[in-house]
Each structure stands twice: as structure tokens, then as C-alpha cells.
Amino acid sequence: MHGLVNRAIERFVRDTYGRDVWIGTIQRLNLGFTEFEAMMVYEARITEQVLTAVGARLARGRDDLLEDIGTYLVSHPATEALRRLLRFGGVDYVEFLHSLDDLPERARLAVADLGLPALELQDRGAGVYALHVGLPKGHDLRLGPVVVGLLRAMADDYGVLALVEHQGDGADYEIIEVRLLDEGFAHGRAFALGLGESAA
């Protein structure tokens, strides 16, 4: 598993629950280290062990924990760079959804061996979309719940009221349904193309 995935789990716990919670949890696994290196590759079993230990420590089920991590990735101040990257996908939430098909390839340009799952958006009409999230190859970590948390957080970021639900698995993908209820529900978070620009 790519170190960026493990690092995201670590930063989520540290930034949300505190360093002591992370250190206490990771030390029980006797891995010989307490911090992940972002650019290293780790055995998939280590990621599974960490998620199980963190879930037990926080009393969170696996899918709920992964969804929380997805939300954290685009809503916490420490992850502003990822939020900005995703906002470049479109001026509104619908454009952002349509940009997701290209996200794994864009990620590979930055980190060649990251290995994000394939994403395919289907427009079902009337403001309803189905996002197919490829099932993992070579490990068992399903990222659909992470994507659910990310999509919900991005809807808030754009000021859109949307119902985002995991619909189960297809032949080789997870299915996430996005139902737009109100595209002008609230003012979105400020965003500008340039770091020094002001935005409404």
C-alpha cells in the first residue's frame, strides 16, 4: 500500500483526535515505527492492521472510519492542497463530478505508483449520478467509503445540498449514487484560482 494512504490515516487521527491517540494506537501494533513515510510502499496487511486498530480505538466501524477520512481529506485546514486540486475540477459541483473520471490519471502524473481506483461517472438524468469506483487489485482495501466522505464534503464546499450514498458493489466496482437536491442551497467556501486572489 502506498505510503500516502497510510499517511492520510495517520494525519486524520493526529489532526482530529490528537497525537497521543495516534501514538498509543500505533505502538500497540509493534510495527517498529510510529510515523509513515509518504513516498514508501508498505505491505497491505499493515494498512489493514492500522485501520482495525484505529477503528477499535475510536469505536468506529470500517466504512464509517473510511468515510470520516474522506471528509477530513477535503475539509481540514491541513489538507487544503488536496481541496484546491479537487476544486480545479470544475466551477460548480456538477463539473467537479464530471472531472472525477480523469482524477486517477491526474494523480498518476504527480505520484506514478499511487494506484487510485478507476472512476467512472454515469449521468442518470434529473440530477442523479452513479459513480463507479473500481475495486482494489492486490489488496482488500475498498475505497468507496472514502469517496463517499469526499463527495459529501465537496458538496458542502460548493454549497450544494446532495444525497450521497454507497449503493453496494457491481462486478468489479463499488457504486455510489449522488442525488442533487439543491445546487444553490448555501454559499460555498471561498475559492480562487490564484493563492493571492480573493474569491466569493
Side-chain angles (χ1 to χ4, degrees), residues 22-31 33-34:
W22 170 254
I23 295 297
T25 302
I26 198 72
Q27 283 182 337
R28 293 189 187 96
L29 297 177
N30 295 316
L31 297 176
F33 57 87
T34 58

Side-chain angles (χ1 to χ4, degrees), residues 7-188:
R7 184 70 172 167
I9 300 168
E10 175 188 341
R11 294 309 311 176
F12 162 74
V13 176
R14 292 171 69 116
D15 291 342
T16 308
Y17 298 96
R19 179 180 181 276
D20 290 346
V21 171
W22 170 254
I23 295 297
T25 302
I26 198 72
Q27 283 182 337
R28 293 189 187 96
L29 297 177
N30 295 316
L31 297 176
F33 57 87
T34 58
E35 295 182 356
F36 286 101
E37 295 292 335
M39 300 312 293
M40 285 185 62
V41 176
Y42 296 84
E43 293 181 33
R45 66 172 180 80
I46 293 178
T47 306
E48 289 292 332
Q49 290 173 351
V50 170
L51 283 171
T52 298
V54 170
R57 176 66 176 81
L58 302 179
R60 302 287 286 167
R62 173 65 60 89
D63 285 357
D64 290 337
L65 175 61
L66 290 174
E67 186 178 317
D68 289 348
I69 292 171
T71 300
Y72 160 83
L73 287 174
V74 293
S75 62
H76 195 277
T79 58
E80 177 66 16
L82 178 57
R83 178 227 172 198
R84 289 185 59 80
L85 175 66
L86 294 173
R87 282 295 297 259
F88 276 114
V91 297
D92 58 32
Y93 191 63
V94 172
E95 282 194 14
F96 159 73
L97 289 176
H98 282 285
S99 77
L100 292 174
D101 289 12
D102 299 326
L103 183 60
E105 188 60 35
R106 283 187 281 143
R108 276 191 289 273
L109 291 175
V111 184
D113 56 349
L114 181 55
L116 290 182
L119 301 174
E120 180 184 345
L121 186 74
Q122 296 182 347
D123 187 343
R124 294 180 173 174
V128 179
Y129 300 85
L131 180 66
H132 291 178
V133 181
L135 289 172
K137 295 178 177 63
H139 60 83
D140 296 324
L141 180 58
R142 296 161 60 255
L143 294 180
V146 177
V147 177
V148 168
L150 185 148
L151 292 179
R152 287 177 177 164
M154 288 303 293
D156 289 342
D157 205 274
Y158 278 100
V160 170
L161 180 62
L163 183 63
V164 182
E165 294 184 318
H166 196 288
Q167 297 289 317
D169 297 345
D172 55 359
Y173 53 82
E174 299 175 76
I175 306 168
I176 298 172
E177 183 180 84
V178 180
R179 188 177 296 270
L180 301 184
L181 304 178
D182 187 348
E183 293 186 55
F185 179 71
H187 289 293

